[in-house]
Amino acid sequence: MSLITVGTMAFDSIETPFGKVDKIVGGSATYVAYAASNFTTPVKQISIVGYDFPEEEMNELKRRGVELEGVEIVPDKKSFFWSGKYHIDMNSRDTLITDLNVLADFNPTVPESYQGAEFLMLGNLSPNIQLSVINQLKQRPKLIVMDTMNFWMDIALDDLKQVLKKVDVLLVNDGEARQLSGEVSLVKAAKCILQMGPKFLIIKKGEHGALLFHENNVFFAPALPLEEVFDPTGAGDTFAGGFIGYLAKTKDISFENMKTAIIVGSALASFCVEKFGPDRLKEINKADIDERISEFVRLVNFEIDLV
Amino acid sequence: MSLITVGTMAFDSIETPFGKVDKIVGGSATYVAYAASNFTTPVKQISIVGYDFPEEEMNELKRRGVELEGVEIVPDKKSFFWSGKYHIDMNSRDTLITDLNVLADFNPTVPESYQGAEFLMLGNLSPNIQLSVINQLKQRPKLIVMDTMNFWMDIALDDLKQVLKKVDVLLVNDGEARQLSGEVSLVKAAKCILQMGPKFLIIKKGEHGALLFHENNVFFAPALPLEEVFDPTGAGDTFAGGFIGYLAKTKDISFENMKTAIIVGSALASFCVEKFGPDRLKEINKADIDERISEFVRLVNFEIDLV
């Protein structure tokens, strides 16, 4: 049972109301790998970095069971760089700098050794790249999960819709679900998007939790109410990594098991935001994750005899 | 086991993206009474209306077990009137008209027959009026629940803080919790507000559900994802009515039972928004409420073996 994850490995400079960091490690595939490797290994990474991406980060990922054969290292270019500043409520942010660097040339080749993987996580990237990875796989994975963002809806909607036809689970936030469907109501938006290809839709609402839609069923997972959200960067990717990692571990892609996977993803994301970058994810162990999941159970559990 | 509810009985004119109605029945005590009377009677109403408040509405309330001895009818003045317009997302609204009319003279006297009630719901009103009702009760109710709003924080904060010292449960929305505490984080806001008097705090987040805080415990109840929110007017009061009505019915004011009461309140509120005004609340029966509560169970229930 193995998992391929495709996405960025990058540097971020982040300013939040709680502080500021320059050029720390980030990128969607980095967060997915740190989260998913708690549940399943190997995580077969597909990404691209420049000469400047730290070797110690690569070694740490390898130590956790992340295979890096699919990570291209470009010797004469810099890694992708993003810089952003969060507003006081942490729910919105301004992008200050986007330096594509190596990402401008990203045209991944799936290594032969990655063939046969049963789970595929398509991180937020150009739909063309996502489609290319799907098409290179000789055997269709058991489950394909796709992340995307409003940027691709703005500039590459037709390509995006092609990818949507080929995936099982789509992950978007509430604003993106509304943009993609043209519906204000999230229930209507979900019905519309489930006609576009994916059998499952997860709408992430940040501090307001996440909704899972499948056929006529809906499941809601809250976000843990936290005293301080230190840095939300990577929380969505960490959620995705926990979600697909748990599914790969349990080998069960039913709606029922996806509910649990969403709680696991939410638990991982709640750690991610406690420190800058992926730092907190590197500290936690199985007992920490179990304790956090128990907090989710306490948060939503109630007894009821019908009235 | 009886319940006193204090609040407005009024007329509303409402415009939403789905339509417009002129001068329909509204008011916080009206919604509380329609919701609570599903669970407990008599509901002992304290309010004030003008000559124009419809007799058929009074009769309908009486039929449901709502006592109106505490509702003053002013023969030469009009009832309180509010007019508002909702924005496209239905989460925010503009007040267009507020005609206090009879409400300007509201100085309620608690009828002798209301004495001894074990539950008291203080709807959103001037803190002075709320305090006056508490002080008129010869025996302190077992549970006092208080609603309020940012308006009173702006113009009568000291009075509001006096009432807070005398109540058990405070109901506010997320913006109001932040204003009252001066904290952005809702967890920090809750800790701060629980120092002001109430032992329980409910923070309503509209379509994003509600949080219940008590000591170091927190419980989260989602709102039901709806295809259409037709008219949110009265949803908060309906929630409050369902909440305190269920507590009065079950005679159990523990944290555990309050979790269930919040789910019941959320279920009632999800009906309220389906039509203009309290119309939908007049149609539903016990079976409808049970079915809706079951939907909440399905919405949040998940199975987990720790990872």
Side-chain angles (χ1 to χ4, degrees):
Chain A
M1 194 66 50
S2 62
L3 165 64
I4 297 175
T5 169
V6 191
T8 55
M9 297 174 74
F11 289 114
D12 293 334
S13 287
I14 301 161
E15 191 174 341
T16 80
F18 300 103
K20 197 173 167 175
V21 285
D22 269 330
K23 242 190 141 190
I24 59 167
V25 165
S28 62
T30 309
Y31 285 101
V32 168
Y34 275 117
S37 58
N38 285 290
F39 306 99
T40 188
T41 56
V43 174
K44 296 170 184 263
Q45 195 91 330
I46 295 179
S47 191
I48 188 167
V49 297
Y51 62 83
D52 53 353
F53 200 81
E55 202 177 329
E56 56 268 39
E57 197 73 25
M58 296 289 209
N59 290 335
E60 176 64 16
L61 286 166
K62 276 188 217 162
R63 205 182 60 70
R64 288 166 184 266
V66 182
E67 287 183 8
L68 301 175
E69 192 186 340
V71 179
E72 184 183 349
I73 302 171
V74 183
D76 60 347
K77 285 198 173 172
K78 287 185 169 184
S79 300
F80 175 48
F81 173 73
W82 176 83
S83 165
K85 183 177 174 175
Y86 288 86
H87 301 166
I88 179 74
D89 70 356
M90 304 291 256
N91 287 325
S92 54
R93 66 187 186 190
D94 295 324
T95 290
L96 304 177
I97 303 168
T98 307
D99 286 338
L100 286 181
N101 300 324
V102 294
L103 204 61
D105 313 317
F106 191 31
N107 184 15
T109 305
V110 176
E112 191 54 34
S113 69
Y114 284 22
Q115 292 292 345
E118 295 193 72
F119 289 83
L120 172 61
M121 177 68 226
L122 296 170
N124 168 40
L125 283 169
S126 147
N128 279 333
I129 296 176
Q130 295 177 318
L131 197 59
S132 153
V133 170
I134 294 174
N135 288 337
Q136 288 178 59
L137 297 177
K138 294 169 190 165
Q139 187 188 326
R140 190 193 189 277
K142 189 171 162 182
L143 191 79
I144 304 178
V145 179
M146 172 193 187
D147 192 11
T148 189
M149 71 183 291
N150 52 353
F151 180 73
W152 306 114
M153 296 173 195
D154 292 338
I155 70 160
L157 184 59
D158 289 342
D159 293 343
L160 178 65
K161 287 187 170 173
Q162 289 308 308
V163 189
L164 281 176
K165 289 182 185 159
K166 293 179 177 270
V167 306
D168 302 297
V169 183
L170 174 67
L171 282 167
V172 283
N173 70 30
D174 41 3
E176 290 157 356
R178 290 185 169 115
Q179 180 172 350
L180 185 57
S181 63
E183 295 281 358
V184 175
S185 152
L186 293 182
V187 176
K188 286 186 180 175
K191 285 192 178 168
C192 171
I193 292 169
L194 289 176
Q195 301 294 319
M196 296 179 180
K199 290 184 284 295
F200 298 88
L201 170 67
I202 296 173
I203 300 181
K204 299 174 289 181
K205 304 197 298 172
E207 63 163 332
H208 300 303
L211 290 160
L212 167 66
F213 293 92
H214 172 59
E215 294 170 353
N216 287 317
N217 302 310
V218 55
F219 172 68
F220 176 82
L224 207 64
L226 296 169
E227 285 216 18
E228 278 175 1
V229 171
F230 201 78
D231 171 20
T233 310
D237 302 311
T238 303
F239 173 90
F243 173 76
I244 200 166
Y246 182 81
L247 292 177
K249 171 194 160 97
T250 52
K251 305 171 189 169
D252 173 355
I253 57 172
S254 67
F255 178 68
E256 282 308 310
N257 199 47
M258 281 198 195
K259 293 180 182 178
T260 308
I262 284 183
I263 297 290
V264 172
S266 302
L268 269 289
S270 76
F271 285 116
C272 177
V273 303
E274 291 179 347
K275 290 195 175 178
F276 274 115
D279 280 4
R280 187 75 179 110
L281 295 179
K282 296 182 193 176
E283 298 169 354
I284 56 172
N285 60 29
K286 193 172 166 321
D288 296 320
I289 296 171
D290 276 355
E291 169 52 28
R292 191 57 63 92
I293 290 171
S294 300
E295 282 188 57
F296 275 86
V297 173
R298 288 194 292 275
L299 181 65
V300 298
N301 243 21
F302 63 93
E303 294 298 325
I304 197 156
D305 298 319
L306 292 187
V307 297
Chain B
M1 193 68 51
S2 63
L3 163 65
I4 296 175
T5 171
V6 191
T8 56
M9 296 174 75
F11 289 113
D12 293 334
S13 287
I14 301 162
E15 190 176 341
T16 80
F18 300 102
K20 197 172 169 176
V21 284
D22 268 331
K23 240 189 141 191
I24 59 167
V25 165
S28 62
T30 309
Y31 286 101
V32 167
Y34 276 116
S37 58
N38 284 290
F39 306 99
T40 189
T41 55
V43 173
K44 296 170 184 264
Q45 195 90 328
I46 296 179
S47 192
I48 188 167
V49 297
Y51 61 84
D52 52 354
F53 199 81
E55 202 178 328
E56 56 268 38
E57 196 73 25
M58 296 290 209
N59 290 335
E60 176 64 18
L61 286 166
K62 275 187 219 163
R63 206 184 58 72
R64 288 167 183 263
V66 182
E67 289 183 6
L68 301 175
E69 190 186 341
V71 178
E72 185 183 349
I73 302 171
V74 183
D76 60 346
K77 287 197 173 175
K78 288 185 168 185
S79 300
F80 175 48
F81 173 74
W82 176 82
S83 165
K85 183 178 173 173
Y86 288 86
H87 302 165
I88 179 73
D89 70 355
M90 304 290 257
N91 288 326
S92 53
R93 67 187 185 190
D94 296 324
T95 289
L96 304 177
I97 303 168
T98 306
D99 286 338
L100 286 181
N101 301 325
V102 293
L103 203 60
D105 313 315
F106 191 31
N107 184 14
T109 305
V110 176
E112 191 54 35
S113 68
Y114 285 21
Q115 293 292 345
E118 296 193 72
F119 289 83
L120 172 61
M121 176 70 226
L122 296 169
N124 169 42
L125 283 170
S126 146
N128 279 333
I129 296 175
Q130 294 177 320
L131 197 59
S132 151
V133 171
I134 294 175
N135 288 338
Q136 288 178 58
L137 297 178
K138 295 170 189 165
Q139 187 189 326
R140 189 194 190 277
K142 190 170 162 182
L143 191 79
I144 303 178
V145 179
M146 171 195 186
D147 191 12
T148 188
M149 70 183 293
N150 53 353
F151 179 73
W152 306 113
M153 297 174 196
D154 292 338
I155 70 159
L157 185 59
D158 288 343
D159 293 343
L160 179 63
K161 287 188 171 172
Q162 289 308 309
V163 190
L164 281 176
K165 288 182 186 160
K166 294 179 177 268
V167 305
D168 302 297
V169 182
L170 175 66
L171 281 168
V172 283
N173 70 29
D174 42 2
E176 290 156 357
R178 290 184 169 116
Q179 179 173 350
L180 185 57
S181 65
E183 296 280 357
V184 175
S185 150
L186 293 181
V187 177
K188 286 187 180 173
K191 284 191 177 168
C192 171
I193 292 168
L194 289 176
Q195 300 294 319
M196 295 179 180
K199 292 184 283 296
F200 298 88
L201 170 67
I202 296 173
I203 300 181
K204 299 174 288 180
K205 305 197 297 171
E207 63 163 334
H208 300 302
L211 289 161
L212 167 66
F213 293 91
H214 172 60
E215 295 171 353
N216 288 317
N217 302 310
V218 54
F219 172 69
F220 176 82
L224 206 64
L226 296 170
E227 285 215 20
E228 277 175 359
V229 171
F230 200 78
D231 171 20
T233 309
D237 301 312
T238 303
F239 173 90
F243 172 77
I244 199 164
Y246 181 81
L247 292 177
K249 171 195 161 96
T250 53
K251 304 170 190 172
D252 173 355
I253 59 171
S254 66
F255 178 69
E256 282 307 311
N257 200 47
M258 282 199 194
K259 293 180 183 180
T260 308
I262 284 183
I263 297 289
V264 172
S266 302
L268 270 289
S270 75
F271 285 115
C272 177
V273 303
E274 291 178 345
K275 291 196 174 176
F276 274 114
D279 279 4
R280 186 74 179 110
L281 295 178
K282 296 183 195 176
E283 297 169 353
I284 57 172
N285 60 30
K286 195 174 166 316
D288 296 321
I289 297 171
D290 276 355
E291 169 52 28
R292 191 56 63 91
I293 290 171
S294 300
E295 282 188 56
F296 276 86
V297 174
R298 288 195 293 275
L299 181 66
V300 298
N301 242 22
F302 63 93
E303 294 298 325
I304 197 155
D305 298 320
L306 292 187
V307 297

